[in-house]
Amino acid sequence: VEKLFGERDYYTLPVIQGPLRGFLIVICPRWDRNYLIGKHEKKVVSTICSFVHPGMVCYDVGANFGYYTLLFAKLSGQGGTVVGFEPSPEVFIHLERNVRRNNKKLAAQIYTLQKAVAQKQGQEQFFLGGSTSTGRFQRYRCPNEENMVLVDTISLDEVVYSGRMPAPQFVKIDVEYAEIDVLKGMSKLLREERPILVVEILQEEARLAAFDFLHEIGYNLKHIESNSPIVHSEQMAPGNYLALHA
């Protein structure tokens, strides 16, 4: 597949297995083909399917091309609301296309915002990455100054408490090293609304910071891939975490 498709070549292809079977999505097959056959983050998908119910409000932070945005919309159904945040101008186009292409299959209200979720509102340099799913803020491990764009940032507290969007009951966060920025920017939301979280955390420093921050607010964490409850920060391994308020 790597030889057939370029790093940033997009095609419209059908999902043939998994909860979005029958959907048509615009993806980059070189990086994203596992979405089509139900093999991408199977335990994360299963976790989301267990916790998201009709009528819920869900945020997809770092939405990429929108697989999880569409999944949230399918699960939340009539009366549900989904908000997808994606800062990359290139990827955001495909997020919007995927939402439009599948809109007739979905009853939920879907909003897409071309913004990077962070600790506060503003602007920041964003590295587009070597693939469609590795974009990140410039300050996080960027190899060079090329392939940068200036993006708008916003915090989830600002999104909710300005009245722009309803408060979420479920938030998925996949933001390439900026997890603690997102969490700190939703501290009021976490304390008052206590949404369910699924957060991908790969870097050790970010894992320790996220554990301390969420634990102090009253959240319990479980490593999704190993199904292991986390009692001490030293147990935090790379991967996805389910966070539930006690």
Side-chain angles (χ1 to χ4, degrees):
V1 174
E2 284 78 6
K3 295 180 180 179
L4 293 174
F5 301 106
E7 291 185 351
R8 309 190 92 85
D9 291 340
Y10 289 89
Y11 298 85
T12 301
L13 298 168
V15 180
I16 59 176
Q17 292 183 39
L20 292 186
R21 182 178 179 181
F23 282 58
L24 284 173
I25 56 176
V26 180
I27 67 164
C28 180
R30 179 162 185 166
W31 308 112
D32 303 322
R33 59 190 179 276
N34 280 341
Y35 288 98
L36 302 176
I37 56 177
K39 289 188 176 181
H40 178 78
E41 295 185 339
K42 292 180 69 172
K43 292 186 177 181
V44 174
V45 170
S46 178
T47 298
I48 289 172
C49 289
S50 296
F51 282 93
V52 176
H53 306 294
M56 287 182 69
V57 179
C58 304
Y59 285 7
D60 187 7
V61 178
N64 199 347
F65 64 84
Y67 182 89
Y68 286 108
T69 301
L70 296 175
L71 179 60
F72 286 138
K74 180 180 179 180
L75 296 171
S76 61
Q78 187 70 40
T81 300
V82 180
V83 186
F85 300 84
E86 174 53 51
S88 167
E90 174 190 3
V91 179
F92 184 79
I93 290 172
H94 300 297
L95 168 63
E96 289 202 306
R97 285 177 178 170
N98 283 329
V99 169
R100 288 197 303 269
R101 185 175 296 275
N102 295 282
N103 197 46
K104 291 183 179 180
K105 296 183 176 71
L106 302 166
Q109 184 70 50
I110 306 175
Y111 301 92
T112 54
L113 300 179
Q114 189 180 336
K115 292 184 181 293
V117 178
Q119 191 169 350
K120 61 182 179 179
Q121 185 172 342
Q123 291 186 314
E124 190 161 347
Q125 289 292 330
F126 187 83
F127 174 60
L128 295 176
S131 74
T132 57
S133 59
T134 57
R136 70 197 71 149
F137 288 135
Q138 179 185 22
R139 54 195 158 95
Y140 292 112
R141 297 186 172 187
C142 293
N144 54 56
E145 297 298 317
E146 298 178 2
N147 213 17
M148 296 281 185
V149 293
L150 187 66
V151 299
D152 293 328
T153 64
I154 195 166
S155 75
L156 293 189
D157 278 348
E158 289 166 328
V159 169
V160 172
Y161 294 107
S162 67
R164 185 168 184 174
M165 292 291 168
Q169 295 154 299
F170 193 106
V171 181
K172 184 182 185 299
I173 302 170
D174 184 354
V175 289
E176 299 292 324
Y177 307 110
E179 300 84 10
I180 193 64
D181 292 339
V182 174
L183 293 172
K184 287 183 176 180
M186 61 184 299
S187 58
K188 182 178 180 181
L189 179 60
L190 292 172
R191 296 177 192 276
E192 295 187 359
E193 304 295 335
R194 302 178 177 180
I196 301 166
L197 307 177
V198 167
V199 190
E200 183 184 60
I201 317 176
L202 301 178
Q203 184 195 34
E204 181 179 7
E205 183 179 347
R207 297 197 303 270
L208 298 178
F211 176 86
D212 290 342
F213 181 80
L214 290 171
H215 186 71
E216 188 273 330
I217 292 176
Y219 274 84
N220 293 326
L221 279 72
K222 182 174 75 171
H223 188 251
I224 292 175
E225 285 80 2
S226 65
N227 197 35
S228 301
I230 305 300
V231 179
H232 304 289
S233 58
E234 293 78 9
Q235 296 175 280
M236 299 279 284
N240 288 275
Y241 287 85
L242 172 67
L244 302 173
H245 199 278

